[in-house]
Amino acid sequence: MSITNIADLDVDPPRFSHSVGWVAVGQAAVRSVQIIVTLLFVYILRTSEWNEIAIALSIYLAGVTVGSLNLEHSILFFLPRFEQNEWGKLLSGTLKMLATTGLVAGVGISLAGVFFMEEQFHLLLLLVGIAVFLEIPTVLVGPAFIAMQRSSRSGQWDLFHAVIQFALLIVPAIVFGSAKSVLIGLVIASALRCISAMFIMKLMGARRAHQFEADMMYQQVKFCIPLGIALAAGVLTRSIDKWLVAVFDFTNVGMYAVAAIEVPLLAVLPYAGGAAIAHQLVSAFLHRRVHEAHQLWLQQAKDMICPVVLGAVGLIVVAPELFQLFLPQNYVKVILPFQIFTLISVHRVTEYGLVLRAANRSDLVTQSSIVLLVSNVAFAAIGLKIHGLSGMACGSLAAFGVAWFWMLRKLSKIFCVSVREVFPWRAWFLTLLVASVVGYVAELLTSNMSSPLVSLVMKLGAVWGIGFLLINHSSFREFIKR
């Protein structure tokens, strides 16, 4: 299969920028709705109902990710192989596979509720199972739009998903205030998306599909399994700690869900930076210019250190004010777990998976995800037993540290350099040190302020303003280069 050079594509720049903008808006909306809904549920629902919803939604998100087997992403790579009059065949076949995996995932979740959960969860997990079954086929729409070079439609589809899910989760919570009503709203939202997806697939040509070729199905599954396992392990890593809390300390599940919120910007920035160098990185590995590939990756890491580290430290410093301003008083006890989870973000200064895929080492993507999952289960469980929610957060931090070092060792072998040389350690440590010192000083200066809003603004101004100026000062940059 030939690789088309991006420069050879006939893309009108303004239109391309417009399309990418829509994709960014759609993705941001989906991620933001998850956080906003979580914060609103804290106020709208009783604690017992919020605990149940927190578990149910984590199972729903895991079910959709694991149940899709990553099949939807195969469209991006398989659709260009076919003539346009054969696209319906591929879309229809993929849709049928997703419907099948969705049915298996939905039934599995429902049965798990019956056999492994208390009676109060039987109906809730049945509703989650139905929502997962209806939702999984809809994941095909966004990638299909992108594959057909209609990226703006993909962003609009994500925006539609965010709007209806927000409305159909929040309105039942306000009107009825029960976990069952919220999950019924989730089912309705998934049903609306499923109906809309079927209609869109027909417009795309799926209605003209003939019998799906077994070879095509085999090639798609073979292509998707490695990354599908990695994505499944990733979503389980983000969910397993909530499930551990549900088993050992159910009354604090809702609080823990708030403490474990990941700020999207800190994760999106490195992915965006990685996407910017993806074509150059693939080309460098393809022509065996390993040193050039390492320099590209190293520079991208250096560019991300300042915004990611300052962003993470800034959030850690203002966490007490954020909780005081936006959450009930009893949530003060999860400030420390939130700060520890945010500290995990300081290692996300680059996109490691991009390097592995560019180097044709997708097997390591899967292995790294499994290493992180296993480490997180072990360390988080030990931490929970020793020191509750804060101990679990520390366990997760340790797990990410283990997985990070494991990944850097693998990358050092790919780039043919030492672990000391593979990552910009000096720049990372010094930036973290400067940000931490500025944050600590800001904490001392604002400790006696009565207004949390003023304190928040001053702390952010210090960390993101003074910290940025210090880190980007010429003398600091020269010191790093020594």
Side-chain angles (χ1 to χ4, degrees):
M1 183 180 68
S2 63
I3 300 176
T4 303
N5 193 307
I6 293 176
D8 296 332
L9 294 175
D10 183 20
V11 180
D12 180 60
R15 187 175 182 82
F16 180 74
S17 300
H18 174 74
S19 299
V20 171
W22 267 111
V23 172
V25 168
Q27 287 292 310
V30 171
R31 291 171 179 265
S32 299
V33 160
Q34 294 174 2
I35 295 177
I36 295 170
V37 163
T38 296
L39 296 177
L40 289 177
F41 278 163
V42 169
Y43 284 100
I44 296 171
L45 299 174
R46 296 190 302 274
T47 300
S48 59
E49 302 291 340
W50 167 222
N51 288 335
E52 294 177 358
I53 285 295
I55 289 297
L57 290 181
S58 70
I59 294 173
Y60 162 77
L61 292 173
V64 171
T65 302
V66 176
S68 70
L69 298 179
N70 189 44
L71 286 168
E72 69 275 14
H73 290 105
S74 66
I75 292 296
L76 297 172
F77 299 93
F78 279 79
L79 202 66
R81 301 182 185 185
F82 294 86
E83 297 295 331
Q84 188 168 350
N85 59 3
E86 294 183 318
W87 285 358
K89 183 180 182 180
L90 179 65
L91 293 174
S92 178
T94 308
L95 196 61
K96 289 175 183 177
M97 285 197 292
L98 286 170
T100 302
T101 61
L103 179 61
V104 172
V107 171
I109 290 171
S110 301
L111 292 178
V114 172
F115 290 108
F116 300 108
M117 303 290 282
E118 298 177 3
E119 186 175 352
Q120 70 185 89
F121 284 99
H122 292 180
L123 177 58
L124 299 183
L125 287 194
L126 173 62
L127 292 171
V128 171
I130 295 171
V132 168
F133 166 62
L134 293 170
E135 188 70 35
I136 285 179
T138 72
V139 301
L140 179 61
V141 176
F145 274 131
I146 293 174
M148 293 180 176
Q149 298 184 353
R150 299 170 66 186
S151 298
S152 60
R153 292 288 184 268
S154 175
Q156 291 161 11
W157 171 256
D158 287 336
L159 188 59
F160 167 68
H161 164 61
V163 169
I164 66 167
Q165 193 167 83
F166 176 81
L168 289 169
L169 287 176
I170 294 302
V171 171
I174 294 173
V175 176
F176 301 102
S178 67
K180 182 177 72 172
S181 64
V182 171
L183 292 179
I184 289 174
L186 180 66
V187 170
I188 295 172
S190 296
L192 289 175
R193 274 181 42 94
C194 188
I195 294 169
S196 302
M198 298 304 106
F199 178 72
I200 291 171
M201 286 294 105
K202 286 186 177 182
L203 292 179
M204 287 183 175
R207 65 179 180 274
R208 297 192 296 272
H210 299 92
Q211 185 177 1
F212 193 49
E213 293 181 2
D215 181 62
M216 184 190 299
M217 180 175 67
Y218 172 76
Q219 291 299 327
Q220 278 187 279
V221 173
K222 181 181 177 182
F223 175 83
C224 292
I225 284 300
L227 185 55
I229 294 174
L231 289 173
V235 74
L236 289 175
T237 298
R238 294 192 298 272
S239 302
I240 199 73
D241 47 1
K242 297 183 185 69
W243 301 344
L244 287 172
V245 175
V247 173
F248 297 107
D249 190 12
F250 182 77
T251 57
N252 284 318
V253 170
M255 285 191 177
Y256 186 79
V258 172
I261 285 177
E262 182 180 37
V263 179
L265 184 62
L266 299 180
V268 169
L269 273 176
Y271 296 149
I277 64 168
H279 181 70
Q280 294 170 283
L281 203 57
V282 171
S283 178
F285 276 116
L286 191 63
H287 294 91
R288 300 186 179 182
R289 300 194 298 268
V290 178
H291 177 71
E292 179 185 328
H294 180 227
Q295 291 304 308
L296 282 168
W297 185 81
L298 201 62
Q299 186 58 51
Q300 190 263 335
K302 291 178 180 177
D303 292 341
M304 289 296 109
I305 285 175
C306 181
V308 171
V309 171
L310 283 181
V313 173
L315 285 173
I316 291 170
V317 172
V318 301
E321 286 77 14
L322 287 175
F323 275 68
Q324 188 175 348
L325 288 170
F326 300 109
L327 289 166
Q329 182 62 35
N330 60 323
Y331 274 73
V332 68
K333 67 179 182 180
V334 293
I335 291 176
L336 180 58
F338 174 80
Q339 291 173 316
I340 296 171
F341 274 113
T342 305
L343 184 60
I344 293 174
S345 300
V346 299
H347 88 285
R348 299 178 186 268
V349 295
T350 192
E351 218 292 276
Y352 308 103
L354 171 69
V355 177
L356 301 180
R357 289 191 290 272
N360 198 26
R361 293 300 307 272
S362 295
D363 58 317
L364 290 180
V365 177
T366 304
Q367 290 177 29
S368 65
S369 299
I370 293 174
V371 167
L372 178 57
L373 175 60
V374 173
S375 301
N376 195 46
V377 171
F379 293 145
I382 294 171
L384 179 63
K385 279 290 187 180
I386 294 175
H387 204 276
L389 299 184
S390 297
M392 171 169 274
C394 288
S396 294
L397 177 63
F400 274 91
V402 169
W404 188 32
F405 188 74
W406 184 92
M407 177 57 67
L408 289 176
R409 288 190 61 189
K410 297 298 181 182
L411 289 179
S412 69
K413 294 179 181 179
I414 290 174
F415 288 128
C416 301
V417 295
S418 67
V419 175
R420 186 175 63 84
E421 298 170 316
V422 73
F423 181 77
W425 292 106
R426 186 182 180 90
W428 184 77
F429 273 123
L430 290 175
T431 302
L432 183 58
L433 177 62
V434 170
S436 300
V437 170
V438 173
Y440 179 70
V441 172
E443 176 68 32
L444 292 178
L445 294 176
T446 59
S447 59
N448 294 322
M449 287 192 174
S450 58
S451 171
L453 181 59
V454 174
S455 177
L456 183 147
V457 172
M458 290 186 64
K459 286 182 178 181
L460 287 183
V463 177
W464 292 352
I466 298 174
F468 180 83
L469 291 175
L470 289 174
I471 291 167
N472 285 277
H473 195 273
S474 57
S475 58
F476 182 81
R477 290 188 171 275
E478 286 297 323
F479 183 71
I480 289 177
K481 292 177 182 179
R482 291 176 188 173

